[in-house]
Amino acid sequence: MKRKLYSLIVAFSLIFATSCDMDLLESPNEVTAETANPTWILNNIQQAYAGNFSTLSTFGMQMTRMVSQPNVNYANAYFAQTMNGTWTSSYASILNDIKFLEGLATETAPLPRHRAIANVIKAMVLMNLVDYLDAVPWSEALDPTNFNPNVDSGPQVYQAAFDALQTAKELFGVTTANLPNDYFYGTASNDANRVTLWRRLIASLELKYHLNRRLIDQPGSTAAINQLIADGNLMATNGDFVFRYGTSNTNPSARHPLSGQLGGGGGAYQSTWYMFHLTEEKGFDDPRARYYLYRQTLSNPDDPDELRCIGEIAPGHYLAGGWPFCLPNMADGRGYWGRDHLNNEGIPPDNLRKTLYGLYPAGGRFDDNSARPSNDLMAGAQGAGVQPIMLSGFVDFMLAEAALTLGTTGDPKALMLSGITKQMNFVRSFAVGTLAATAVRAFTPDADFPALRNNYVSSISAEWDSAPENRRMYLIGREYWLALYGNGIEAYNLYRRTGQPDGMQPGLTPDPGLFPRSLLYPNDFVVTNSNAVQKPNLGVRVFWDTNPEGNTWVD
């Protein structure tokens, strides 16, 4: 018996000793510099940026009336918790992973291509943070021993983003056989073409950088943009920078975040104001309306229990300003069913009736007048949409703005019309490359699309010719805004930078509070950082926005 007890004591002692020894070992679940795979890290950086972009884009689309904002005023819509997720994604995930990836480079494995792509993404993250928040931590941000990093000024962080683009440019010049997964340009025919596409993206992001700064450095922006034009390296057709989703709906889903409406409607409402511009404002339909939007009914509702506002009189300030109320066309509308700006009403039983995100960019259904209820996850493109982060058409719109406001090289009208053409071609090309191609071509054959596009472009050309000079920036802004569906980041920047398109549909309440010229710092930052100071209100402008304060400029 004593022998058995002794054996048990020895056995438990060995287990205890082994456990103690295990505590001295590195966790097998922790990624270290010795165990990390640089390609897998870059995979995560690219995927995380797509999600980061999607969130910020949604905020921008709401503020610029591309989709409905479901709150009664701006303070309720954009509060201190709004940016928590983006803050964590930007710093704890993307930027921290980039820092870790850069630390893996050695003389024998310098990882130039991995680091080049990572630096482009770093630049975009930093610019987006400044565009939405202004001053943010950077020089002290990723120090694991500093729990209270100070903010750097907006210009300093913007410069850091520009420097990251220069670093990326240099790294793309280094020949390497160690090629990572490229989720953006991976389908290019060969590596040389991929490098060219990335270089053109870098030049286009430099254009964005200088255009945003034009109000604080007109001579510098003018010279820099003219040099970019002269260099001839800006994004060209077929160089569009997008993140493409798949069709798998298993957890984690590979589908576009906005495609969830395929399974039963619900979710976000489309904007009455944006749909008005796509279907009523010009007297004919924008060719993109059927790609952007999917109607579940072809007629306006007549039951106030489904859409309460059809039985109401428009608010006085709507009547005075002549804005559409409730529906793009109350008299003989065609089922474009969304909500007005800053509408916080409860949700009626309209999931299978209201207008939804369509084929582009969400990967939903093409509107072929079938008006089938959205209750099939396998319909349309099955969620295989895109994030349109930077398109060649966007570049032409930016050049049109620069030509008109700075006098840079180029004809603003021709550049605007080129931007419309390129973006429409991209939408069509995307659509016929999806699982919804048969429905798209059955409704609009390939031979018919050019006429629809050209008729639209001709109409805008005539409108430009008849417009007074002081309304031409409005035309550029309006057409850029209509091309930006799916990219609320650039729409938000455009609106604050130029004030265009002006005359936006106001909120339902006469006084919705200050329009967000930037968002409040996230609560996670303010509460946990002793050096953080919250902004007094949403009216604080980012450093490059020197336009008049308050809602007289944008509202």
Side-chain angles (χ1 to χ4, degrees):
M1 185 66 179
K2 289 182 178 179
R3 187 175 299 170
K4 290 182 180 179
L5 288 172
Y6 178 75
S7 297
L8 286 171
I9 291 170
V10 171
F12 279 119
S13 298
L14 287 172
I15 292 171
F16 181 76
T18 302
S19 299
C20 291
D21 289 341
M22 283 294 289
D23 288 342
L24 300 178
L25 300 176
E26 292 180 345
S27 168
N29 296 321
E30 183 177 351
V31 178
T32 66
E34 290 72 28
T35 61
N37 183 316
T39 294
W40 292 355
I41 295 171
L42 185 60
N43 289 350
N44 186 66
I45 291 168
Q46 294 177 86
Q47 292 172 348
Y49 182 68
N52 184 280
F53 172 89
S54 180
T55 299
L56 289 177
S57 177
T58 297
F59 296 155
M61 289 176 70
Q62 291 170 340
M63 287 185 279
T64 58
R65 284 74 155 177
M66 300 170 88
V67 295
S68 177
Q69 165 49 254
N71 286 275
V72 69
N73 57 45
Y74 290 119
N76 284 6
Y78 306 104
F79 44 92
Q81 286 77 22
T82 298
M83 286 288 284
N84 277 347
T86 298
W87 190 267
T88 300
S89 169
S90 298
Y91 286 105
S93 179
I94 302 172
L95 295 174
N96 204 44
D97 280 356
I98 292 173
K99 178 185 177 183
F100 183 69
L101 174 64
E102 291 177 320
L104 297 179
T106 64
E107 288 188 11
T108 56
L111 306 173
R113 187 62 54 77
H114 294 71
R115 292 159 54 211
I117 293 173
N119 269 277
V120 174
I121 294 174
K122 178 198 295 185
M124 292 188 293
V125 169
L126 292 177
M127 282 198 281
N128 291 345
L129 285 171
V130 173
D131 290 343
Y132 277 70
L133 294 168
D134 197 41
V136 293
W138 175 237
S139 59
E140 301 177 7
L142 303 180
D143 180 355
T145 65
N146 184 353
F147 296 101
N148 300 290
N150 289 291
V151 300
D152 297 272
S153 70
Q156 288 174 320
V157 181
Y158 240 49
Q159 183 62 49
F162 187 82
D163 293 344
L165 292 175
Q166 307 318 302
T167 299
K169 196 183 301 184
E170 294 175 5
L171 289 167
F172 275 118
V174 178
T175 302
T176 180
N178 186 0
L179 302 178
N181 296 326
D182 185 341
Y183 291 165
F184 299 98
Y185 289 132
T187 59
S189 58
N190 57 57
D191 186 57
N193 286 344
R194 276 193 293 275
V195 169
T196 298
L197 293 172
W198 278 103
R199 286 182 173 278
R200 288 185 177 277
L201 170 67
I202 290 170
S204 302
L205 291 173
E206 290 176 349
L207 171 63
K208 169 183 171 175
Y209 168 90
H210 292 298
L211 190 64
N212 274 348
R213 295 183 77 259
R214 71 174 174 81
L215 294 174
I216 62 168
D217 184 13
Q218 181 172 335
S221 291
T222 303
I225 292 172
N226 273 333
Q227 187 61 55
L228 288 169
I229 296 169
D231 290 343
N233 290 324
L234 290 167
M235 185 180 290
T237 302
N238 299 324
D240 304 287
F241 186 72
V242 302
F243 185 89
R244 296 181 183 273
Y245 292 91
T247 59
S248 173
N249 198 40
T250 56
N251 190 21
S253 173
R255 296 183 171 201
H256 194 291
L258 301 180
S259 68
Q261 290 184 322
L262 279 172
Y269 284 88
Q270 297 301 313
S271 162
T272 300
W273 183 239
Y274 203 71
M275 291 191 293
F276 171 78
H277 276 273
L278 290 171
T279 63
E280 300 289 340
E281 188 260 348
K282 296 182 178 72
F284 60 92
D285 285 353
D286 189 311
R288 294 164 291 195
R290 293 183 180 275
Y291 300 84
Y292 288 3
L293 309 169
Y294 180 77
R295 291 171 298 164
Q296 299 183 95
T297 177
L298 301 183
S299 60
N300 284 356
D302 55 13
D303 183 356
D305 288 337
E306 289 184 324
L307 187 62
R308 189 174 76 181
C309 57
I310 62 173
E312 298 176 345
I313 299 174
H317 59 295
Y318 270 52
L319 294 171
W323 284 285
F325 168 69
C326 189
L327 293 162
N329 186 327
M330 286 282 279
D332 56 357
R334 295 164 288 157
Y336 287 102
W337 177 341
R339 284 198 167 182
D340 299 313
H341 187 50
L342 294 172
N343 182 337
N344 72 331
E345 292 177 354
I347 307 299
D350 62 359
N351 282 1
L352 302 181
R353 300 276 285 160
K354 68 185 184 184
T355 299
L356 307 177
Y357 289 109
L359 177 56
Y360 175 88
R365 280 176 159 167
F366 175 74
D367 188 344
D368 58 359
N369 288 342
S370 61
R372 289 186 295 270
S374 186
N375 55 6
D376 182 4
L377 285 170
M378 304 306 289
Q382 298 180 24
V386 294
Q387 296 289 359
I389 300 170
M390 182 62 69
L391 304 183
S392 58
F394 298 174
V395 171
D396 285 351
F397 279 113
M398 289 191 286
L399 290 173
E401 178 188 334
L404 187 69
T405 61
L406 297 174
T408 54
T409 304
D411 174 12
K413 175 187 173 183
L415 288 164
M416 176 190 67
L417 298 180
S418 175
I420 296 170
T421 302
K422 287 180 180 179
Q423 193 269 346
M424 285 190 176
N425 287 344
F426 177 80
V427 171
R428 174 70 181 189
S429 176
F430 161 79
V432 297
T434 69
L435 293 171
T438 300
V440 172
R441 287 193 165 110
F443 191 86
T444 307
D446 291 341
D448 294 350
F449 177 75
L452 294 173
R453 179 200 62 214
N454 295 343
N455 288 343
Y456 183 94
V457 170
S458 295
S459 173
I460 304 306
S461 176
E463 189 177 2
W464 176 281
D465 292 341
S466 63
E469 289 190 11
N470 66 355
R471 294 303 292 163
R472 288 179 171 172
M473 188 61 239
Y474 164 77
L475 292 178
I476 293 173
R478 185 193 68 193
E479 293 306 310
Y480 191 15
W481 174 66
L482 290 171
L484 281 168
Y485 193 67
N487 188 328
I489 293 175
E490 299 310 326
Y492 183 42
N493 288 343
L494 168 74
Y495 191 43
R496 291 174 295 165
R497 187 176 64 240
T498 68
Q500 302 299 338
D502 60 10
M504 288 279 203
Q505 182 192 49
L508 287 175
T509 181
D511 182 14
L514 286 170
F515 178 84
R517 301 293 278 271
S518 68
L519 298 189
L520 298 179
Y521 285 118
N523 196 58
D524 286 352
F525 169 60
V526 174
V527 170
T528 62
N529 188 325
S530 60
N531 290 323
V533 178
Q534 185 57 277
K535 300 174 186 178
N537 54 54
L538 292 168
V540 176
R541 297 167 295 173
V542 299
F543 82 95
W544 51 257
D545 177 7
T546 61
N547 290 307
E549 292 182 310
N551 289 10
T552 57
W553 180 250
V554 287
D555 60 8

